[in-house]
């Protein structure tokens, strides 16, 4: 079993839909990152959070430390949101080390 | 600020050749790391460094060497390229702790093909 599990693996949505991507982890982490990768592109850090909720524009990230679960929400989705979304935990035992989920491929159709 | 600069962006190697992937950051980050990304798999840690002169192995270190002579640079060396090393490579850096407000900064990636 992977230490970080993401669901769904693939997601297709219509423009304007509310999108949720989930991330569950089985290891102790001090924080969790949500990353975005466009096709053929680099990786951009969207959020880093260790508790509660963060919001940036149409993106909202939440984390529940007790349940070892995080979600990334996209409101009013747009075709430009089409990308791979990756969650990554900062391992508590190893300082900076990241452990990654396999990613969720999101396609938003117009 | 340039952030994290990776070169080259693309490279084709023949089996057995050696090469160095360059990574440089100008943010005075102590922590630097190299990952490889393969289809259907999450990013996997190759090597990392917590400061100049200090490096350590990650999850998949075989076939790769690193050094950290300065805070800014963290090159990744392929000693004798193999087709199994065909992948996209990412360099990333952060301040120690990894969970400061700025998080991680990733380079734009190097797409390597070994034939």
């Amino acid at each position: 079993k992977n230490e970080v599990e993401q669901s769904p693996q693939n997601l297709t949505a219509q423009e304007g839909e509310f999108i949720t991507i989930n991330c569950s982890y089985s290891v102790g982490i001090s924080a969790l990152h949500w990353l975005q990768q466009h096709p053929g592109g680099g990786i951009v850090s969207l959020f880093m959070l260790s508790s509660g909720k963060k919001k940036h524009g149409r993106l909202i990230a939440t984390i529940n430390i007790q349940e070892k679960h995080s979600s990334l929400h996209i409101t009013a989705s747009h075709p430009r949101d089409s990308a791979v979304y990756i969650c990554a935990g900062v391992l508590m035992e190893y300082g900076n080390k990241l452990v990654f989920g396999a990613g969720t491929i999101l396609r938003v159709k117009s | 600020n340039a952030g994290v600069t990776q070169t080259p962006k693309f490279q084709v190697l023949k089996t057995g050749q050696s090469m160095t992937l360059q990574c440089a950051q100008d943010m005075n980050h102590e922590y630097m790391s190299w990952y490889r990304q393969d289809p259907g798999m999450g990013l996997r840690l190759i090597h990392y460094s917590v400061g100049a002169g200090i490096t350590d192995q990650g999850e998949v270190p075989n076939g790769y060497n690193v050094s950290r002579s300065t805070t800014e640079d963290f090159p990744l060396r392929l000693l004798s390229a193999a087709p199994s090393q065909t992948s996209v490579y990412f360099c990333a850096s952060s301040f120690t702790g990894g969970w400061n407000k700025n998080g991680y900064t990733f380079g734009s990636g190097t797409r390597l093909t070994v034939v």
Side-chain angles (χ1 to χ4, degrees), chain B residues 25-107:
Chain B
Q25 52 89 12
D26 61 357
M27 298 169 284
N28 207 31
H29 285 168
E30 302 98 344
Y31 184 85
M32 296 186 74
S33 51
W34 277 102
Y35 300 90
R36 60 178 289 172
Q37 185 180 40
D38 301 295
M41 304 182 74
L43 287 126
R44 292 181 292 170
L45 180 65
I46 304 171
H47 285 285
Y48 67 99
S49 168
V50 297
I54 306 169
T55 64
D56 206 348
Q57 296 182 347
E59 187 183 350
V60 287
N62 291 341
Y64 307 95
N65 271 359
V66 291
S67 59
R68 184 96 179 267
S69 55
T70 66
T71 300
E72 294 78 18
D73 299 298
F74 190 45
L76 178 73
R77 296 184 187 85
L78 279 70
L79 309 171
S80 177
S84 60
Q85 293 178 304
T86 295
S87 187
V88 181
Y89 292 84
F90 287 95
C91 178
S93 71
S94 74
F95 288 112
T96 301
W99 42 278
N100 65 88
K101 63 176 183 177
N102 295 317
Y104 278 77
T105 302
F106 285 82

Side-chain angles (χ1 to χ4, degrees), chain A residues 13-32:
Chain A
Q14 282 297 131
E15 183 174 356
E17 284 185 357
F18 180 85
I19 289 165
T20 296
I21 299 170
N22 294 301
C23 177
S24 298
Y25 51 93
S26 58
V27 291
I29 66 169
S30 54
L32 187 133

Side-chain angles (χ1 to χ4, degrees), chain A residues 7-91:
Chain A
S7 63
Q9 289 184 319
N10 290 278
L11 180 57
T12 300
Q14 282 297 131
E15 183 174 356
E17 284 185 357
F18 180 85
I19 289 165
T20 296
I21 299 170
N22 294 301
C23 177
S24 298
Y25 51 93
S26 58
V27 291
I29 66 169
S30 54
L32 187 133
H33 292 261
W34 280 102
L35 310 171
Q36 181 192 56
Q37 185 177 25
H38 281 101
I43 297 172
V44 175
S45 179
L46 299 173
F47 293 104
M48 181 187 58
L49 64 167
S50 56
S51 65
K53 175 180 169 178
K54 286 190 175 181
K55 184 176 188 291
H56 181 70
R58 296 180 294 105
L59 301 178
I60 303 167
T62 63
I63 190 167
N64 185 318
I65 297 293
Q66 287 74 26
E67 294 186 5
K68 295 189 173 183
H69 182 268
S70 177
S71 294
L72 176 68
H73 307 285
I74 305 175
T75 62
S77 59
H78 189 276
R80 65 175 174 266
D81 296 326
S82 298
V84 178
Y85 293 85
I86 303 167
C87 67
V90 183
L91 289 174

Side-chain angles (χ1 to χ4, degrees), chain A residues 89-104:
Chain A
V90 183
L91 289 174
M92 191 176 288
E93 188 177 348
Y94 294 100
N96 288 68
K97 281 191 183 179
L98 292 175
V99 56
F100 294 87
T104 294

